[in-house]
C-alpha cells in the first residue's frame, strides 16, 4: 500500500482531500460513478471480470478505504485493520491492462465529479502510483474472484 506520502497532496493548512472532495457524500459519489463506469465501459472488461457479479461489497470497501486515505474517518482501518492493498490484491492477476482499465474508470469519474483542477491532478497522481503498485503480473490472466482462491 502506498504510505502517507503517496496520499493526495495537501498543505497542512488546507482542508483535507476528504473535505475538498465533498466529505462522505463526495467520496460515495466518486465510488458509485467509478463502479458504474466499470460496469458500462466495454474498455473495462478485464478489470470488471476481477470483481464479483455484484459490486456492492467492492464499493463499500473502496468507500471506506478512500475515506481514510483522503484524510477523513479511517473507516476501513477501524473495521479491517491495515489495508495491505498489494497483499489483498495478490490473488488476482493484475497486469498493465487491468491497471489501465481501472485508471480509465477512475479518471473519468474524477473528471466528471471533481471540478478543482489541482485537486483532481493530485488525486490522479496518487491513484496512478497506487495502481502501478498493484500490478503483479506482466500479462493479463483469467483469474477472477472464483479462481482467486486457487492462486
Amino acid at each position: 500500500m502506498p504510505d502517507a506520502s503517496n496520499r493526495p497532496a495537501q498543505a497542512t493548512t488546507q482542508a483535507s482531500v476528504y473535505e475538498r472532495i465533498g466529505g462522505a457524500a463526495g467520496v460515495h459519489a466518486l465510488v458509485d460513478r467509478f463502479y458504474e463506469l466499470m460496469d458500462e465501459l466495454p474498455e473495462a472488461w478485464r478489470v470488471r471480470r476481477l470483481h464479483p457479479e455484484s459490486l456492492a461489497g467492492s464499493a463499500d470497501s473502496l468507500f471506506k478505504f478512500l475515506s481514510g486515505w483522503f484524510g477523513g474517518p479511517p473507516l476501513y482501518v477501524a473495521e479491517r485493520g491495515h489495508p495491505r492493498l498489494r497483499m489483498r490484491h495478490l490473488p488476482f492477476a493484475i497486469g498493465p491492462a487491468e491497471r489501465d482499465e481501472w485508471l480509465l474508470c477512475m479518471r473519468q469519474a474524477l473528471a466528471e465529479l471533481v471540478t478543482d483542477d489541482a485537486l483532481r491532478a493530485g488525486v490522479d497522481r496518487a491513484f496512478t502510483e497506487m495502481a502501478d503498485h498493484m500490478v503483479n503480473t506482466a500479462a493479463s490472466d483469467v483469474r477472477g474472484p472464483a479462481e482467486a482462491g486457487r492462486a
Side-chain angles (χ1 to χ4, degrees):
M1 170 185 158
D3 62 24
S5 65
N6 288 346
R7 288 187 178 163
Q10 66 187 47
T12 56
T13 58
Q14 279 187 318
S16 68
V17 171
Y18 180 82
E19 293 167 326
R20 293 174 66 199
I21 213 161
V27 177
H28 268 297
L30 181 65
V31 169
D32 291 347
R33 184 61 183 140
F34 167 75
Y35 282 114
E36 286 171 4
L37 290 163
M38 189 181 288
D39 248 353
E40 294 170 3
L41 296 176
E43 305 96 312
W45 75 272
R46 285 181 184 90
V47 73
R48 176 59 180 96
R49 74 177 182 199
L50 296 178
H51 293 77
E53 185 176 336
S54 170
L55 293 171
S58 299
D60 182 62
S61 291
L62 184 58
F63 167 76
K64 289 174 179 173
F65 170 74
L66 290 180
S67 176
W69 197 58
F70 284 162
L75 304 173
Y76 190 96
V77 172
E79 185 177 294
R80 300 183 189 159
H82 190 286
R84 294 174 175 41
L85 290 182
R86 185 157 169 87
M87 180 195 74
R88 291 181 196 265
H89 288 82
L90 278 177
F92 305 97
I94 301 171
E98 290 79 9
R99 175 204 55 211
D100 293 348
E101 291 176 10
W102 191 96
L103 284 169
L104 171 74
C105 296
M106 186 55 75
R107 285 177 175 149
Q108 185 167 331
L110 285 168
E112 292 176 14
L113 299 170
V114 179
T115 58
D116 180 321
D117 292 339
L119 175 61
R120 188 174 57 252
V123 171
D124 179 72
R125 275 191 304 277
F127 277 139
T128 299
E129 290 176 17
M130 182 192 315
D132 286 342
H133 187 65
M134 294 299 108
V135 173
N136 59 27
T137 185
S140 296
D141 195 339
V142 295
R143 286 182 291 146
E147 297 87 6
R150 296 185 289 241

